Amino acid sequence: MKSIKQDVKAWLLLCTGLGTILFLMGSTFFIVVTQSLGLYSMGGEESGFTLEYWQDVLSDSVFQSSYLYSVKVSLLGALFSIVVSYPIALWLRNELPAKVTIVTILRAPMLVPGLVAAFLFVNMISYHGILNEALVFLGIWDEPKTLQNDEFGWGVVILQMWKNIPFALILIGGAVNSLKTDLLDAAANLGSNAWQRFRYVIFPLTLSAVQVSFILIFIGALGDFAFYSIAGPRSTYSLARLMQMSAYEFEEWNQSAVMAMAIMLTSAFVTVLVSMIIKPLAVKRGDIK
């Protein structure tokens, strides 16, 4: 009886915080779903179940271009962030002078708001920015070149990497540091080189950190607004920018809800896909041990 009372008390205490979060998230999700299906209209139109808004959005060439662009940039940003994080994490395993200072500097981008970082980046690579002027001064370029707002979106990819590498380092670095030195020494004694140790020992044993890092970075990048708006191409909108424009400038709230659903469904799909890809690779961890 005492145990039941304690459980009830614990759940009641959790409801004060967890219940509020679930209510706010659940109500928001409910409204987005119903809006996308025409069951809730903010513009005063008659509400009723329809798939017309889904059909209109999915068949729109502007949405298709924005969707492919946002997914492409988000995937590249997440992938490159993890690829760059690994050698840095392995380097930080060593005893280094001023290691705490190095780690602090590497995590500094996490303290800079995305909007500020985007403006700084654009100013740096602008036609008369620091990068162009330096390359012209060094004689590498004869004249400044247009680098900002490139059509592919490399500027946004670089910004996503700059912002997310410190986050990936926390997860991947923690997993790498948890590996026993004896395990790596044993692999080296058996004749494996640095690449083989990474491929067959380090990477399989840190896949869980890779999975979490990739998913969280991708979800954050897919819904990002500041980087795409400031440093992205002028010929293509990001999903977040297109959704905001549809809702606030054209008052197409139902179409905007469809775009929000597209972002959430894509995030869920990539989460499942990454888990399915990593799961068979993670089976090898037992063989290593």
Side-chain angles (χ1 to χ4, degrees), residues 63 84 90 101 113 155 270 282:
F63 169 79
V84 174
L90 293 173
T101 303
V270 171

Side-chain angles (χ1 to χ4, degrees), residues 30-31 33-41 46-50 53 254:
F30 174 77
I31 291 176
V33 174
T34 54
Q35 272 190 331
S36 69
L37 298 175
L39 298 175
Y40 179 80
S41 177
E46 183 178 354
S47 298
F49 178 81
T50 178
Y53 300 113
N254 299 93

Side-chain angles (χ1 to χ4, degrees), residues 17-255:
L18 183 60
T20 303
I21 295 174
L22 291 177
F23 171 76
L24 293 175
M25 293 182 61
S27 59
T28 303
F29 181 76
F30 174 77
I31 291 176
V32 170
V33 174
T34 54
Q35 272 190 331
S36 69
L37 298 175
L39 298 175
Y40 179 80
S41 177
M42 291 185 63
E45 298 89 353
E46 183 178 354
S47 298
F49 178 81
T50 178
L51 296 176
E52 178 184 353
Y53 300 113
W54 280 89
Q55 183 179 0
D56 291 343
V57 171
L58 295 180
S59 61
D60 185 11
S61 60
V62 176
F63 169 79
Q64 294 172 0
S65 176
S66 299
Y67 182 83
L68 293 176
Y69 166 73
S70 297
V71 171
K72 172 190 68 176
V73 172
S74 300
L75 286 173
L76 290 177
L79 179 62
F80 289 160
S81 295
I82 292 174
V83 170
V84 174
S85 296
Y86 260 113
I88 299 176
L90 293 173
W91 175 58
L92 291 176
R93 273 180 59 93
N94 304 318
E95 293 295 331
L96 302 172
K99 185 175 181 178
V100 176
T101 303
I102 295 174
V103 172
T104 302
I105 294 174
L106 289 173
R107 293 180 180 177
M110 299 181 69
L111 304 176
V112 181
L115 188 63
V116 175
F119 272 113
L120 292 175
F121 179 76
V122 169
N123 287 332
M124 186 178 68
I125 66 170
S126 61
Y127 193 77
H128 289 292
I130 298 174
L131 181 60
N132 262 309
E133 294 295 337
L135 293 175
V136 171
F137 176 78
L138 295 173
I140 299 176
W141 287 350
D142 295 331
E143 59 183 14
K145 299 182 182 296
T146 303
L147 300 176
Q148 65 187 77
N149 305 115
D150 63 288
E151 290 298 320
F152 185 86
W154 286 116
V156 178
V157 173
I158 293 172
L159 279 169
Q160 293 291 354
M161 291 174 60
W162 179 83
K163 187 69 175 179
N164 290 309
I165 285 175
F167 175 74
L169 270 176
I170 294 176
L171 297 175
I172 295 176
V176 169
N177 290 331
S178 66
L179 299 178
K180 295 182 179 179
T181 305
D182 295 343
L183 184 64
L184 300 178
D185 292 340
N189 291 335
L190 291 174
S192 62
N193 55 35
W195 167 246
Q196 290 172 328
R197 289 195 296 274
F198 173 79
R199 180 181 177 183
Y200 296 110
V201 180
I202 297 174
F203 184 66
L205 292 177
T206 55
L207 275 174
S208 59
V210 172
Q211 178 181 348
V212 175
S213 299
F214 189 95
I215 292 173
L216 293 180
I217 293 173
F218 175 83
I219 293 175
L222 187 63
D224 180 74
F225 183 86
F227 290 165
Y228 292 105
S229 300
I230 303 300
R234 291 290 175 254
S235 59
T236 306
Y237 297 108
S238 68
L239 279 177
R241 172 66 179 124
L242 184 62
M243 183 176 69
Q244 183 268 344
M245 184 173 63
S246 298
Y248 288 96
E249 296 182 20
F250 299 105
E251 295 187 355
E252 297 175 344
W253 289 93
N254 299 93
Q255 290 86 339

